[in-house]
Amino acid sequence: MAENENPSADSDPGQTKEPPMEPASPVEGMDAAYRAKGEQQKGMFNKLEQLSRRRMPTVELIHEKFARTVRLTLFNMIRSPVEVRVQLPMVKTYAQFVQSFPERTNINIVNIRSLKGTGCWCIAPGVIYIAIDNMFGGEGRLAPRSNVKEYTATELRIVRRIMDGLLNEYEKAWKSVHEMKFDFMRQETNFAFAKITSPQEMVMHAKFTIDINGREGDVDLCIPFWVLDPLK
């Protein structure tokens, strides 16, 4: 009879069986997914924060050189005292760059031929109207319009002349570092039609403050960061 006893009786009485593992509930699986997504977003945010604090000493020197030379170009065009101040280039998302402008502004889309990408130059209405007033014999003392719905054909032609001068001097400023070439593409007044990159893509934002006969306005340059990657 003892030979027919259950073999489990011979097992170690001190050994306890582990209860079977229960399958993870759908809620626990969702929580894990959300935690993983949160960690991924946190890592991306930290990376963006590091990029935003990044200094670009070579670009800073190029912009200082550009500010010195473009001042003379604008003076010869406008025939009025011009000063150009440079702010440090910033790294931010394209969405942040767009949000810093009014709904309508002068946007000049350019093709960066040498780097196979696009960028944009934004000229504040104040700079445009002060320049036009001086070019047509005024002294730039009229209060410029801070916003505009549509530019006239004459105003757009003058903006194009200003853009040609800016692009020419900017190419010269880069020449000792890289053969930068810009091709003017078109003008827009709404960023909805000026998407040079995706909203979350990082861009370099450079701001130049133009003082014409005591009145100031900004000229902003935006280039997607991935366009500048080959220059690293």
Side-chain angles (χ1 to χ4, degrees), residues 48-55 91:
L48 295 181
E49 188 177 17
Q50 291 173 0
L51 278 173
S52 66
R53 296 178 179 178
R54 181 176 177 176
R55 292 290 299 273
V91 178

Side-chain angles (χ1 to χ4, degrees), residues 6-27:
N6 191 337
S8 62
D10 297 333
S11 60
D12 186 0
Q15 183 178 0
T16 59
K17 292 185 178 180
E18 294 183 1
M21 294 183 63
E22 297 182 0
S25 68
V27 175

Side-chain angles (χ1 to χ4, degrees), residues 72-89:
L72 181 59
T73 297
L74 293 175
F75 171 77
N76 291 333
M77 186 184 304
I78 301 171
R79 293 297 176 184
S80 184
V82 177
E83 295 295 334
V84 181
R85 296 198 309 275
V86 184
Q87 297 188 23
L88 290 178

Side-chain angles (χ1 to χ4, degrees), residues 16 27 65 70 76 115 138 163 193 219 230:
T16 59
V27 175
K65 183 178 180 180
V70 80
N76 291 333
L115 296 177
M163 274 304 307
F193 307 105
V219 172

